[in-house]
Each structure stands twice: as C-alpha cells, then as structure tokens.
C-alpha cells in the first residue's frame, strides 16, 4: 500500500464534461452558423462578433476573479454607464482648454480608469471592511450609478462633442493589421487574466478564499485584501471596457450598459467557473462570452428563429451549463 | 437475549469489495453485526473503516459482494432504504446543518406536525428529553454553528438515539469528546445494547474499544486480518494487528538534557471573552503541553497569540525581541505557526487537491509572482514520503482522503512554513496508533533540532507522555504550570477542574 502512494495518478482517459461542455457548445454553434449563412465565417462577421464581445468579455474576465473569490458584482453595467457619462462630461468640459488632440483622449482614459478603480474599491470596501453581503452592496451601487448617469444626462443623452468623437472613433474602429483595438485589448486582458488565475499566487489566493475563507485565513491568506483587489480589478476593467465603448456611439444615457452585469455573470458561469466560488477559469469565460455573442449573431444572420428569442436561448444555455457543472461535481 | 453465537447476524457483509476509480480500497470484507452486541471495527487510517460503514448504512454502494439483513440479501438503492431498515449512522464528519438550530437538526426530515403546522411545543419537549439522555445542556434553540465541536457531536448522538435504531453505526464518535462525554455515550450504548440494538463503532482509542466492545474486527489495507471476541485480544495485540508492527512504545523518551534558552515569552495575553492574562515561557528544544477542559480557552488563547483573532498582550517576546503580532502574516514572519484543531473548517480546502493544500500557507516559497508548480510537486512528493500520506490517487480531492490522512496532510502543510515555534492543537485527533507514534517521534525530533513546540491536547495520555512541562488552563486562565515529576493525571485534573470545584465536567 505504501509503495503505490507515491506513484502519480494514471492520466485521466477523458476530460470531464464540465471541461468539454462549453467547448463543444461553441463548436456546435459555429457549425450551425456556418451551415446557415455563408457569410458567417467571413472576416467581417468574425471581426464584428469579436469586437462586440470585447466589452462584455473584458468585464467578464474581471468578474471571473470576483466570483472565484466568493463574491459577486451586479453593479458593472451601471458602473460602465456612469463612467461613460463622466468621461464624456470631463472631455467636453476640457475641450476649450485642451482642444482636440491626444491629450484630451488620454485625460478621458485616465478619468475612466481612476473612476473604475474607485468604484470597485468602494464596492470592495463595503463588502470586506463592513462585512455586507456582496449581493446587497452591489445591488445598491447598481441603482446608485444608474441613477447618477440619468441625473448627469438629465434624463436624456450625454453626447461627446462632434469633433472629439470623430477624433476618438479610431479607438473602436481602427486597429493593427486589420484587428480592431477592442479585440486586441480583449486578447491582452484574457492572456494576463489567464496567467494571473492559473499561474500566479493571486489566483490561488482567490480560489482559496472562495473555497473556504476560514481555511484561507488560517493559511496566512489575507482574505479581505484578496477580495478587495478582485473588486478593484473588476472596476479597472470596467473602466477599460468603457474606454473602448465610448468611441463606438459617442454618447451615454440611462440605457447604456443595461444588463451587462447579467451577461458577464452568465458568461463566467457558462465558462465553468463555480458561482459559489473556489474555482474559476478565465479561458472558460472567454468561451462563455463567445457563446453568448454567437447566439445573438446567428439569430440576426438568419430568419430561422426570431432574434427576440435571443434571451430565451441564452437562458436555456445558462441553466444547462449549471446542470453540467453539478453533474461533474457529483461524479468527482 | 439468546446465546450470541446462535442468533443470526442482524446485518452482515459477505465478500464486499469497493473501488474508487481504478483503486480498490476494500478487498472482500466479511463482517457480522448481531443484536445486543457491540462490534468494534478498527484499523489504520485509510484501512477502509468509514467506507465499510457507509456501505452498511446504504450511503455508498459496494462494487461487489452482498449485504445480508437478518440473513436475507438486500440492496440499498439509497440512504432512505437504509433508514427504512432501521439503520442509523453517525458520520466521522459532522453531518448537521450548521445554520439550523439544535432542535431543527434533531427533527430534520421528520418534523412533527399538527395538522398543517409544525408542532413546535412537542418537538421542543422531545429535544430536551433527547439531550437530557446524553447529559447535554445546550439550548435547543441555539444555532449549531455556535456550538463547540464536542457539543455538536453530542447533538449528533442525541439525534441518532432519537431515531430508535435497530442498528446503530458510529464512525469515530468519541474523537472530539471529552472523557466524561465519552462515559455518557458509553452508558447510552450499554442501555441500547440491553434493549437489543446492534451497534458498530470505530475509534482510534483502543482503551475505549477494550472497554465497550464485545467483538472486534480488524481491518488492514482493506482486508479483515482479525475477527473475534474483544476479551480475547489485548490492546497491544490489536495495535500490532492493525499496524503490522509492534507499537507498545508509543512515546519517545524525554531528553535528560535541560532545554535551551527562552525562545518565546508571553505575558498578559488576553483574548476578549475567552482567555485572560495568560503567561508562559517556551524554551528551545522543549515541548510545552497545554491541558484543560474543552472550552477552557486554550485554542482561543493560542489563536490570539498567532494573530488569528483579536487579542492583546502585555508582552510577547520572540528570540529576545518584542513581537507585535496582529495578523497571521506577522506570526509567520516571526517563525510562529499554528496547526488548527479543526481540519475540516479551518485546516484544509476539501474540494481541492493535495498539492494546492500543501503549499497554500507558504506559497511565497514556491516561486515569486508566478507559482513554480514543479517545485510544488516536489514538495508534495517529499511530504507524502515524510508523513506517509496514503492518498490512493494523487489528484484526489482532499475531502476524499481518510480522516487520518487529512490530518497528516495538515501537519505537512503547516511544516511548509518552516516555523521555529510550532503550536499544534489536538495534533493526533482521528489518527491511528501507528501514525500517532510517528507523529510523537516527529514532534520530539523537531524539538531536539532546536524548535520550540506548544501542544494543546485533550488526551491526557498524550499530554503526560510527550510534554516536558504542562500548562493547565481553567476558564480562560492559567491554573498553573507543571514540570518534571509533577506531571501526572491527578495534578492536571485537579487544576483543570479547580480544587474543590464542583465536578460537573464542563466549564463554559
Ligand atoms: N470518495 C472517494 N474517492 C476516492 N477515494 C476514496 C473516497 N472515499 C474514500 N477513499 C479512499 O478509500 C480509502 C479508505 O478510506 P476510509 O475513509 O474508509 O478510511 P478509514 O479507515 O475510515 O480511515 P480513518 O481512520 O483515517 O478515518 C482511503 O485510501 C481513501 O483515500
Ligand atoms: Mg474514517
């Protein structure tokens, strides 16, 4: 008995369904899309899908860390709207002094990033230092940011100065080698996120905290700091996503970023991260985001099923994903 | 009661095998439980005791073999079938809902009703009766999460007794109990036995086995190696059959050389609500035992010292320098490390693998920003070897390890921080006698290498056998420090209970 204890386990013959499930679902969707519409696999459509996925995707990567560490953030959609509104206001206000040029764009970006980090820190502080449930705190801030942006826009729309908008547009529409900026930024965020989650100490601390915070505390993991950092990081990424989003429409209103939080959370869960915390994978989240965007895309490209049923199909997929997770757990 | 030999077994296993994945952990187990008899199933950690019990109770299916109930073959498709057959099991791991009250737990799944509504009055009344039967004075309305481990166990026992089982299976029921509570439990067991209940239990405390068991079945590595009346085997013989070697020399010799210089000096340590004005010195190379009743504040005091809970102290000096320890990290920086008594809730991430658990506490030693997984694997190899961790498959979730092997992993994990002062809290809880011997030798050896060790233990034998000095705690205060020949059961008990104090067992 003693002798066989040190031998490494035999390689698993098949990766589990929770691992393969999302990948298979994605491949099936791609096959369906390709068979229904010949433009589906064209460069234009792929770029379109990826660029649209980028906003939710960037946020969802941050959400993966929050959920893995046992938290939740419902405020990201309103936070994005608020940051967009703030950015537009600040840039419009600075226009007379700075004029149209790179400095004013940089100013806008700094505002977005700082605002994102601060908003994330506020969420994190209320949750960790005051010990209020993440669900409650972020439900509250979700309402607050949404209302603030409505107030800033006075119930209407905040629009970026027309000249500025033209100058800023390339941040969404241009790129390098035909790959647009949102896609490049998304890819970078994913790569960094994956490294942080799977190979860095921080990711391990997140998983430990989400898995059992008492054990983590007794193991010298600073649980509160870890949680706080996940919210701050998510806030930062919301800021980054907003930077990419504002040039697309050049405006912000009460309906900006509506339901983004649900899409981000759904992508995370579809990707195999456990909603209760303790286990997360960033690459899974990417697959989750792509699955959600492809459903939308396919429904728009074909008139097979009404695009109005998009939400219903997404809902079914989310529930299926959780069932798969549970079965994997029961077996393991 | 008829002659025990001619009564047909109430419940029996015939050639039962069980595999987890490719690994077979039970290799054809035969076992017989008879009405009015207590059968002790003993064996090393990971021998398959819990697995056997779960198969008997219908919690897990056997891979092959037969279960006979009153001589008839049965298959338990589910837990429910086991309960229908009158089988009740107390698990090694707590199986109670932490967020519910004591009363809700006792009636969980079979709440009494009057019409559509719950009959709260009756349930309250019965809960009190059940708790009284085991001398447990917790409030039926208390949330289980607020109870001490021993009270939780007594609630589990009360719950099991309330089910009027025909067959009662208890997996290490006494591991977290005090001696007095164990006595209470055994009185109940004797009463049930008289009433004709068939009882199966396991324990790593062989003295208990000798005291209460009628029959003994010994498992080693998933096979039965001995089976017969308890009166016919001595404790030493049991230990030898379990472990496969002689373990009569449980404790290493204490050193004759005096210990070295003072490594740590603590004065006026106070943990609000739990401990007050604790002071002691720890010298290089010594093992300082901390004895006391459960609830005397030993754990809380040491957790406070290590920055795990709010505490204050007049003075904490480590290596001659004042140390200000507020967070667990500060303790680590001073080479101080605490091994928790509660491996399930505070010690290990049960859903994760061995490697992640092993290195969690000292992750900074394995790479910088990025983790060096190869180094982690090497550390795991070394730990498996050094602590004889038997995991079957290496990538198994830690929650699937046998209890004793979890404890060994926990010790290995704590040692990853390379502490110079180690505080261990109930270090051998749930550990088999062979491994106990190894752990005692390990701790003594650590001390000999110049570490300082503080050991909290509720096992009198362990405190006396291993400690160079013993601090006794009572109601959150130090009740004296014993050394050399003063260390003895009488002296410890007298201080733990308070001289002339009433002997009702537990101090709140
Ligand atoms: N669900 C599971 N998956 C994989 N292996 C398991 C599982 N449950 C138990 N095992 C393995 O089966 C073996 C027997 O475990 P079991 O819990 O029955 O031991 P035990 O005799 O009760 O030990 P202890 O005294 O430590 O409680 C161990 O090697 C354990 O790792
Ligand atoms: Mg066991």
């Amino acid at each position: 008995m003693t002798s066989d204890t040190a031998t490494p386990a035999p390689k698993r013959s098949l990766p589990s369904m929770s691992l393969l499930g999302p990948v298979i679902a994605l491949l099936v969707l791609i096959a369906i899309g390709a068979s229904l519409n010949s433009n589906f696999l064209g460069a234009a459509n792929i770029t379109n899908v990826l660029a649209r996925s980028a906003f939710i995707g960037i946020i969802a990567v941050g959400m993966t860390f929050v959920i893995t560490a046992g938290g939740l953030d419902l405020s990201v959609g309103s936070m994005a709207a608020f940051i967009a509104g703030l950015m537009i206001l600040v840039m419009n206000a600075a226009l007379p002094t700075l004029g149209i040029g790179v400095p004013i764009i940089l100013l806008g970006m700094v505002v977005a990033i700082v605002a994102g980090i601060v908003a994330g820190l506020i969420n994190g502080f209320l949750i960790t230092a005051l010990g209020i449930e993440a669900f409650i705190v972020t439900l509250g801030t979700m309402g607050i940011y949404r209302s603030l942006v409505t107030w800033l826009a006075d119930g209407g729309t905040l629009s970026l100065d027309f000249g500025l908008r033209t100058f800023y547009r390339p941040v969404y529409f241009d790129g390098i080698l035909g790959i647009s900026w949102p896609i490049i930024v998304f890819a970078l965020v994913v790569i960094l996120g994956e490294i942080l989650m799977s190979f860095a100490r921080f990711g391990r601390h997140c998983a430990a905290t989400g898995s059992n915070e008492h054990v983590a505390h007794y193991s010298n993991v600073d649980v509160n700091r870890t949680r706080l950092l996940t919210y701050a990081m998510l806030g930062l990424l919301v800021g980054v996503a907003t930077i990419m989003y504002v040039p697309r429409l050049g405006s912000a209103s009460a309906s900006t970023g509506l339901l983004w939080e649900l899409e981000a959370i759904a992508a995370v869960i579809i990707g195999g991260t456990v909603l209760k915390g303790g286990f997360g994978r960033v690459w899974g989240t990417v697959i989750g985001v792509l699955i959600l965007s492809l459903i939308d895309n396919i429904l728009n490209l074909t008139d097979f099923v009404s695009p109005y049923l998009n939400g219903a199909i997404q809902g079914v997929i989310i529930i299926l994903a959780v069932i798969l997770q549970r079965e994997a757990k029961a077996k393991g | 009661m008829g002659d025990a030999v001619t009564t047909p077994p109430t419940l029996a296993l015939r050639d039962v095998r069980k595999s987890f994945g490719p690994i077979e952990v039970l290799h054809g187990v035969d076992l017989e439980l008879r009405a009015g008899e207590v059968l002790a199933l003993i064996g090393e950690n990971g021998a398959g005791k819990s697995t056997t019990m779960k198969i008997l109770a219908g919690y897990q299916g056997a891979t092959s073999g037969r279960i006979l109930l009153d001589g008839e073959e049965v298959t338990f498709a589910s837990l429910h079938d086991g309960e229908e057959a009158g089988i009740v099991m107390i698990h090694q791991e707590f199986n109670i809902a932490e967020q519910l009250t004591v009363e809700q737990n006792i009636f969980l799944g079979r709440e009494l009703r009057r019409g559509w509504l719950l009959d709260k009055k009756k349930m309250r009344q019965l809960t009190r009766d059940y708790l009284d039967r085991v001398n447990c004075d917790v409030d039926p309305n208390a949330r289980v999460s607020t109870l001490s481990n021993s009270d939780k166990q007594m609630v589990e026992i009360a719950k099991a007794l309330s089910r009027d089982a025909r067959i009662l299976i208890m997996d290490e029921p006494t591991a977290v109990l005090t001696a007095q509570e164990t006595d209470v439990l055994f009185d109940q067991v004797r009463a049930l036995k008289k009433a004709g209940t068939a009882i199966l239990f396991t324990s790593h405390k062989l003295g208990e086995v000798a005291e209460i068991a009628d029959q003994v079945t010994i498992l080693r590595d998933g096979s039965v190696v001995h089976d017969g009346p308890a009166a016919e085997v001595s404790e030493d013989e049991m230990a030898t059959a379990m472990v496969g070697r002689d373990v009569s020399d449980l404790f290493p010799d204490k050193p004759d050389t005096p210990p070295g210089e003072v490594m740590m000096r603590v004065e006026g340590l106070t943990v609000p609500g739990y401990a007050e004005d604790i002071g002691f010195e720890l010298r290089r190379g010594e093992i300082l035992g901390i004895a006391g009743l459960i609830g005397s504040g030993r754990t809380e005091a040491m957790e406070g010292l290590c920055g795990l809970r709010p505490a204050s102290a007049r003075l904490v000096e480590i290596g001659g320098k004042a140390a200000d320890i507020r967070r667990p990290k500060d303790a680590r920086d001073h080479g101080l490390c605490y091994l928790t008594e509660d491996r399930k809730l505070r010690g290990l991430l049960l859903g994760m693998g061995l490697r992640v658990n092993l290195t969690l506490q000292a992750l900074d030693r394995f790479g910088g920003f990025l983790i060096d997984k190869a180094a982690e694997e090497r550390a795991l190899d070394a730990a498996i070897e050094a602590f004889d961790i038997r995991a079957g498959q290496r990538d198994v979730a830690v929650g699937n390890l046998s209890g004793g092997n979890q404890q060994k992993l926990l010790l290995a994990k704590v040692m990853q921080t390379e502490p110079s002062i180690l505080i261990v809290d109930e270090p051998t809880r749930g550990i088999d006698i062979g491994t106990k011997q190894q752990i005692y030798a390990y701790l003594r050896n650590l001390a000999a290498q110049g570490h300082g060790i503080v050991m909290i233990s509720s096992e009198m034998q362990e405190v006396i056998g291993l400690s160079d000095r013993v601090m006794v705690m009572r109601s959150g205060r130090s009740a004296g420090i014993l050394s050399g020949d003063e260390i003895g059961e009488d002296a410890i008990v007298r201080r733990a209970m308070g001289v002339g104090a009433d002997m009702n067992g537990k101090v709140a």
Side-chain angles (χ1 to χ4, degrees), chain A residues 1, chain B residues 20 25 44-51 92 172 204 390-391 396 400-405 430:
Chain A
M1 185 80 199
Chain B
F20 291 104
V25 298
E44 280 183 294
N45 298 129
K49 304 179 295 294
S50 299
T51 308
Q92 184 170 6
E172 292 194 37
H204 288 294
R390 306 188 186 182
V396 60
N400 288 338
L401 293 186
S402 79
N405 281 301

Side-chain angles (χ1 to χ4, degrees), chain A residues 158-192:
Chain A
L158 284 167
S159 297
L160 197 57
D161 175 85
F162 187 76
L164 254 180
R165 198 189 303 180
T166 320
F167 187 75
Y168 195 1
R169 263 176 68 90
V171 171
Y172 178 76
F173 293 95
D174 279 8
I176 340 178
L177 301 174
I179 307 173
S180 68
W181 283 114
I183 300 177
I184 295 171
V185 173
F186 181 28
L188 282 177
V189 166
V190 167
I191 291 168
L192 289 178

Side-chain angles (χ1 to χ4, degrees), chain B residues 14-15 97 152 183 278 290 292 323 370 403 410 430-431 447 487 489:
Chain B
R14 294 275 180 264
D15 196 28
K152 280 185 200 170
D183 287 343
I278 306 287
I290 303 188
L370 298 184
L410 183 60
I431 279 197
I487 300 176
E489 183 155 358

Side-chain angles (χ1 to χ4, degrees), chain B residues 36 102 126 128 139 157 159 192 202 274 379 398 414 420 425 440:
Chain B
V102 170
L126 286 171
R128 267 270 52 102
D139 176 5
I157 290 167
K159 177 176 165 182
L192 286 175
T202 187
Y274 293 103
V398 163
V414 164
S420 56
D425 198 347
Y440 295 147

Side-chain angles (χ1 to χ4, degrees), chain A residues 22 56-57 59-61 63-64 67 72-74 76 259-275 281 284-293 295 310-311 313-322 325:
Chain A
I56 299 288
I59 294 173
V61 169
M63 190 70 81
T64 310
I67 292 181
L72 191 70
D73 192 339
L74 297 173
V76 290
L259 295 185
W260 280 12
E261 62 281 341
L262 292 189
E263 279 199 45
I265 293 170
V268 172
I269 302 309
I270 292 173
T273 295
V274 179
L275 183 57
R281 49 180 192 224
T285 298
V286 177
I287 293 189
V289 172
L290 292 179
I291 287 177
L292 291 181
S293 324
I295 294 171
N310 185 355
I313 296 179
Q314 291 187 349
V316 170
I317 300 237
I318 294 165
I319 293 170
L320 272 180
V322 175
Q325 264 187 22

Side-chain angles (χ1 to χ4, degrees), chain B residues 310-482:
Chain B
S312 63
R314 222 170 26 247
L315 172 82
V316 176
E317 223 178 62
I318 293 175
K321 282 189 237 96
D324 183 19
I325 298 171
R326 285 155 199 251
R327 286 173 304 157
K329 186 178 167 300
D330 301 337
R332 164 99 203 270
D333 292 343
H334 285 98
L336 185 64
C337 191
Y338 169 80
L339 177 135
T340 173
E341 63 174 337
D342 194 340
R343 62 174 174 255
K344 297 269 162 200
L345 293 181
R346 299 188 188 139
L348 297 171
L349 298 172
L350 300 179
M352 301 213 182
L354 281 85
R355 176 173 57 88
V356 170
N357 272 287
L358 180 71
T359 59
L360 185 63
Q361 193 149 0
L363 212 47
D364 49 351
R365 279 188 49 226
F366 299 89
F369 179 73
L370 298 184
I371 297 170
D372 181 352
K373 290 191 181 166
E376 285 188 290
E377 289 290 350
R378 284 195 299 277
L380 180 55
D381 285 336
I384 286 175
E385 172 88 32
F387 292 89
D388 189 20
I389 299 169
R390 306 188 186 182
Q393 261 170 301
R394 191 175 164 130
D395 57 355
V396 60
V398 163
N400 288 338
L401 293 186
S402 79
N405 281 301
Q406 291 179 5
Q407 185 70 19
K408 295 188 228 171
L409 178 66
L410 183 60
L411 187 56
K413 166 187 166 178
V414 164
M415 290 314 296
Q416 294 299 318
T417 65
E418 302 180 321
S420 56
I421 299 173
L422 180 63
I423 301 178
V424 292
D425 198 347
E426 309 288 1
T428 62
R429 175 173 285 167
I431 279 197
D432 70 54
I433 187 158
T435 313
K436 258 186 197 168
Q437 187 191 37
Q438 290 169 354
I439 288 187
Y440 295 147
Y442 180 82
L443 291 176
R444 178 50 76 191
N445 195 21
L446 268 187
Q449 287 167 13
H451 293 73
I453 293 173
V454 177
M455 176 185 68
I456 302 176
S457 173
S458 299
E459 247 184 87
M460 191 57 80
Q461 223 201 341
E462 187 168 286
V463 172
I464 297 171
L466 199 61
S467 315
D468 299 310
R469 290 187 304 137
V470 177
M471 176 165 81
V472 185
M473 281 184 62
R474 179 176 73 239
S475 310
R477 289 175 171 274
S478 168
I481 294 183
L482 308 171

